[in-house]
Amino acid sequence: MSTFYITTPIYYANGEPHAGHAYTTIAADALARYHRIKGDDVFFLTGVDEHGANIDKTAEKEGLTPQTFCDKLAPIFTQLWERLNISNDIFLRTTSDLHKRGIKKFLTALYESGDVYKAPYEGYYCRPCERFFPEKELTDEKICPIHKLPLEWVKEENYFFRLSKYQDRLLQHYSDNPDFVHPESRRNELLNVLESGLEDTSISRSSVSWGIPLPFDPKHIAYVWIDALPNYITALGYDADSENYRTFWPANVHMMAKEITRFHAILWPAMLMAADLPLPKQIIAHGWLTKDGEALSKTRGIFIDMDGDIAKYGVDSFRYYLLREFSFGNDGDYRPSRLHQRYNADLANDLGNLLNRVLGLVNKNFDGIPEPTTPGEFDDEVKEMAQTTTEKLDAHMKSFAFDSALETIWEFVRRVNRYVQQTEVWTLAKPETKPRMGTILYNSLEALRYVSVLLSPFIPETAEKIQKQIGLTEFDTVAEWGHLPVDLKVSRGEPIFPRVDLKKEKTPQPKEAEKPKKKTKAQESNLISFAEFQKLDLRVGSVISAEQVQGADRLLKLQVDLGTEKRQVVAGIAEHYKPDVLVGKQVIVVVNLEPATIRNVESHGMILAAGDDSVVLVSPETDVQLGTQVR
Ligand code: MSP
């Protein structure tokens, strides 16, 4: 059995958690759950960072001691994680004895390495970042690029860690381990920092009182990052060299957003090198969740109404939207309207309706799950696709592409929907065709069970609901075809994603902070961001057959082969192309377009064409492999 240790950052306990914190934690949870169903021994850590001047200051404003303030905030984090179904194995607080004991041991080791020294220090400091800005990072305005606040001139006696000494070893580590930092853009950024030279860094504050005293000079308090980073080992019981520590360190994945990679991928590994401990295997950085293109900010009133959206659509829809909509390494703009669309199209329509329809047919025609006695057309295609879906999913999860992972599962869900459609299973209730009907329904239920296993890391509550409705009493995690027993009594099938009709809701009055803001230049000129462009999934397909849609002069119904699946697409090109000339032609298909019914014909995608009066189809210059993505 392999082990898998994954961590989120420990979030500052100086305010309530928001959707940005939820994003990292949900992504880490999906990965932890994914490794659990693969059979790995998983340890998943999250927690709170409770020391530092900022927290002291906020507590004072509230008239509380910092400890009482943290004691109030920590449960707000744990309650949110419970609500979001986060499966962490530990919630670490830096005020805990476990952490304090570990820090004492770690800082002693650091000191004994000979790479810690005392020296006076003065420089520009950002309080919210809790860090000094070296000369080369300063702008003329002396403003923090993240918080947009003026930097303060701070002068004090500090202990320093000889970070500069580790530059070459770090560069060597990066070159020996090309996957150490993901994605590559962040890796390159950090390589630039490394190559331009490292300065020694202060590890203590003498002007701060809230924190952990240095074991070798208790008048000095450990700098908050020096206190925080070792949480990844203290949580495992590094202080006592415990079983967990020996089993799980080094971590497989430290997950976070891009702004704190420097601490994790330069300072932390150098500290570990000094203390002679193994380095984490991968530092994974995702982009920021934004609202109307702007960074979330409590002070500026830019926030995501996570509670409201969860109340409306449910926890799993929120989890699904975050993981499906955004490309993990890039920034992503949170839009309630997109959540609504994904809820209706992907969850309620593709998945929910499929389950409902199949359960309805089983209930109407059989006592329980029928036996698959009568194989026929399309069965093997569906079975094989289940297998390839698992393989593709593996590859996407290895590269942290949660969006593609979910799209891959949905390609299978849509295939099963078409299987039900193509076989016209509802017409097979006559005695002579009933065995075939039973087989198709068995396969459809087995496909749904299979899908529920693959979905369980992302939307665990839904996965359980699906299996319960199918009649399974214990959650089955086996992603192997044919595992579904026959004769199980299926339930009546309550909709797992009931329709949410926005029109029925009262439009809430915008709060001051939510009132429309001035449009950015990009919004005014209708430009889209690269992230928005990337949402389009364009693929090369080949037309298998084409026919006129009855009663519609302009429409053709096309069957298109996309390599791994076949699609039906309705295209308004009948006045420009005769059906038979299209057969065999390669076309570009928008495959992640919401399905639509046009003149009673279902359309699952769109074909790209140019022109208004004289329309021509867009094709690759030479034939390419079917399913190739167009970028
Ligand atoms: N306490 C430090 C981390 C110490 S780890 C040893 C800290 N805390 S934080 O509360 O500021 O959390 C930062 C992290 O929260 C980000 O790296 C990211 O994981 C998450 N996010 C906070 N805002 C976010 C967005 N707007 N979008 C995406 N993730 C966000 O830094």
Side-chain angles (χ1 to χ4, degrees):
M1 193 198 257
S2 328
T3 57
F4 185 77
Y5 177 29
I6 177 163
T7 68
T8 71
I10 46 169
Y11 306 111
Y12 285 128
N14 63 350
E16 294 195 7
H18 56 63
H21 302 118
Y23 182 48
T24 315
T25 315
I26 289 172
D29 183 58
L31 211 53
R33 287 175 181 273
Y34 181 72
H35 280 268
R36 282 196 201 103
I37 63 166
K38 288 271 150 201
D40 290 349
D41 186 8
V42 172
F43 197 87
F44 172 19
L45 159 80
T46 188
V48 274
D49 190 352
E50 303 180 283
H51 290 132
N54 282 326
I55 289 175
D56 200 9
K57 220 170 167 180
T58 319
E60 200 184 321
K61 267 195 226 146
E62 303 229 338
L64 298 172
T65 65
Q67 186 64 61
T68 318
F69 177 72
C70 292
D71 290 347
K72 261 181 68 182
L73 266 166
I76 302 178
F77 278 85
T78 51
Q79 280 154 19
L80 176 64
W81 302 151
E82 263 168 46
R83 184 157 175 236
L84 294 177
N85 247 318
I86 303 300
S87 62
N88 53 303
D89 295 289
I90 190 170
F91 180 81
L92 182 99
R93 297 183 56 179
T94 53
T95 51
S96 65
D97 286 341
L98 175 71
H99 180 70
K100 286 180 186 163
R101 287 196 305 270
I103 282 294
K104 201 168 164 192
K105 178 170 168 183
F106 183 76
L107 292 186
T108 306
L110 201 66
Y111 188 63
E112 284 170 357
S113 72
D115 288 330
V116 171
Y117 62 91
K118 198 173 174 183
Y121 193 73
E122 50 189 348
Y124 281 101
Y125 193 73
C126 169
R127 270 200 201 279
C129 287
E130 301 242 24
R131 80 173 180 108
F132 282 101
F133 274 70
E135 198 63 40
K136 62 182 174 220
E137 283 183 44
L138 290 175
T139 56
D140 290 345
E141 297 80 24
K142 313 279 188 290
I143 299 265
C144 165
I146 295 171
H147 296 95
K148 318 275 181 237
L149 293 171
L151 300 171
E152 289 172 48
W153 182 255
V154 172
K155 195 172 172 182
E156 57 181 39
E157 176 108 300
N158 279 340
Y159 278 91
F160 280 80
F161 170 53
R162 221 180 296 279
L163 181 61
S164 55
K165 178 177 151 186
Y166 291 90
Q167 179 179 348
D168 291 344
R169 269 180 77 184
L170 285 167
L171 278 168
Q172 189 60 47
H173 187 78
Y174 274 61
S175 114
D176 294 345
N177 301 277
D179 294 335
F180 182 54
V181 177
H182 176 94
E184 209 179 338
S185 53
R186 295 279 154 240
R187 178 177 189 269
N188 292 338
E189 216 173 80
L190 291 162
L191 272 173
N192 280 340
V193 174
L194 277 174
E195 275 156 6
S196 69
L198 295 178
E199 287 175 25
D200 291 352
T201 182
S202 78
I203 61 163
S204 68
R205 297 284 178 273
S206 46
S207 56
V208 168
S209 58
W210 176 237
I212 301 183
L214 296 181
F216 44 87
D217 188 348
K219 285 196 298 301
H220 293 258
I221 298 293
Y223 165 48
V224 66
W225 274 100
I226 296 295
D227 164 352
L229 288 163
N231 90 89
Y232 301 128
I233 56 173
T234 65
L236 294 174
Y238 160 76
D239 63 312
D241 197 25
S242 74
E243 173 80 24
N244 266 349
Y245 174 68
R246 281 180 280 120
T247 308
F248 292 106
W249 190 256
N252 296 74
V253 171
H254 286 328
M255 190 176 278
M256 67 206 66
K258 58 188 180 182
E259 81 289 354
I260 54 174
T261 43
R262 209 186 274 210
F263 290 109
H264 283 82
I266 293 182
L267 178 58
W268 177 224
M271 285 161 70
L272 286 164
M273 283 171 178
D276 205 17
L277 296 175
L279 307 196
K281 292 187 184 135
Q282 273 193 301
I283 312 293
I284 307 301
H286 59 74
W288 279 335
L289 220 51
T290 59
K291 185 76 205 299
D292 301 325
E294 296 201 56
L296 306 183
S297 155
K298 206 157 106 183
T299 41
R300 293 170 60 219
I302 303 169
F303 70 100
I304 288 168
D305 182 12
M306 170 165 64
D307 289 339
D309 284 344
I310 291 175
K312 213 182 287 170
Y313 300 100
V315 164
D316 272 1
S317 312
F318 179 70
R319 288 177 63 116
Y320 175 77
Y321 171 66
L322 290 183
L323 296 171
R324 172 66 189 87
E325 185 78 354
F326 306 116
S327 159
F328 197 60
N330 302 327
D331 291 354
D333 205 40
Y334 185 97
R335 297 198 192 144
S337 60
R338 288 289 303 156
L339 166 58
H340 184 76
Q341 278 169 9
R342 289 235 173 253
Y343 180 87
N344 280 343
D346 302 3
L347 297 172
N349 211 4
D350 289 347
L351 182 63
N353 283 352
L354 173 65
L355 178 68
N356 223 262
R357 197 169 181 194
V358 174
L359 291 178
L361 285 166
V362 173
N363 270 318
K364 195 167 157 204
N365 299 287
F366 298 90
D367 277 341
I369 297 183
E371 237 183 286
T373 54
T374 319
E377 205 185 0
F378 306 117
D379 296 3
D380 286 345
E381 214 183 296
V382 171
K383 281 183 217 171
E384 277 158 29
M385 191 164 174
Q387 179 61 35
T388 49
T389 302
T390 308
E391 287 157 14
K392 280 195 193 169
L393 182 65
D394 264 335
H396 291 314
M397 291 305 271
K398 277 201 184 94
S399 54
F400 310 97
F402 300 100
D403 56 340
S404 310
L406 282 166
E407 174 53 23
T408 296
I409 300 175
W410 248 260
E411 277 168 14
F412 183 50
V413 171
R414 288 192 289 260
R415 178 68 195 91
V416 182
N417 265 313
R418 277 200 311 289
Y419 174 62
V420 170
Q421 203 68 30
Q422 284 166 321
T423 53
E424 299 188 347
V425 59
W426 60 94
T427 64
L428 304 177
K430 289 164 264 154
E432 62 278 19
T433 49
K434 203 151 172 191
R436 177 67 188 139
M437 178 185 221
T439 303
I440 295 166
L441 291 177
Y442 175 89
N443 286 339
S444 308
L445 284 172
E446 172 56 349
L448 277 158
R449 184 199 64 82
Y450 199 101
V451 162
S452 72
V453 175
L454 302 188
L455 280 181
S456 63
F458 308 94
I459 46 175
E461 211 175 280
T462 304
E464 275 186 25
K465 279 189 196 161
I466 294 176
Q467 292 207 3
K468 266 200 194 122
Q469 294 204 1
I470 289 176
L472 289 160
T473 44
E474 246 177 62
F475 195 77
D476 180 351
T477 57
V478 181
E480 266 168 39
W481 188 268
H483 218 244
L484 179 69
V486 294
D487 288 338
L488 285 182
K489 189 83 196 112
V490 304
S491 80
R492 278 189 47 231
E494 289 300 308
I496 48 173
F497 294 104
R499 285 258 156 203
V500 175
D501 193 351
L502 287 185
K503 283 190 214 100
K504 282 198 196 126
E505 287 170 24
K506 279 195 288 168
T507 320
Q509 289 308 307
K511 293 188 202 134
E512 195 54 40
E514 289 171 342
K515 287 207 174 131
K517 280 179 285 304
K518 233 180 119 229
K519 283 190 172 169
T520 61
K521 261 200 183 132
Q523 284 164 337
E524 270 169 7
S525 54
N526 275 339
L527 294 177
I528 60 165
S529 68
F530 185 61
E532 282 171 309
F533 166 72
Q534 274 195 318
K535 284 180 200 153
L536 277 180
D537 192 356
L538 305 175
R539 303 220 177 221
V540 176
S542 163
V543 179
I544 307 169
S545 66
E547 60 182 282
Q548 187 89 35
V549 172
Q550 282 195 352
D553 294 345
R554 295 181 48 246
L555 299 181
L556 289 185
K557 179 168 93 178
L558 311 176
Q559 305 301 330
V560 181
D561 186 356
L562 288 162
T564 51
E565 58 163 324
K566 305 200 172 42
R567 290 270 182 118
Q568 175 168 296
V569 178
V570 175
I573 52 171
E575 289 162 302
H576 310 280
Y577 287 91
K578 291 222 174 325
D580 51 346
V581 300
L582 290 173
V583 176
K585 193 171 177 56
Q586 288 208 338
V587 288
I588 309 294
V589 187
V590 186
V591 293
N592 60 344
L593 194 69
E594 222 177 314
T597 306
I598 307 167
R599 297 288 183 105
N600 282 330
V601 182
E602 277 190 50
S603 181
H604 293 268
M606 188 176 99
I607 308 276
L608 292 192
D612 293 325
D613 298 331
S614 133
V615 171
V616 287
L617 286 171
V618 178
S619 297
E621 196 181 12
T622 54
D623 276 4
V624 294
Q625 197 183 352
L626 299 183
T628 300
Q629 206 158 20
V630 180
R631 294 210 171 276

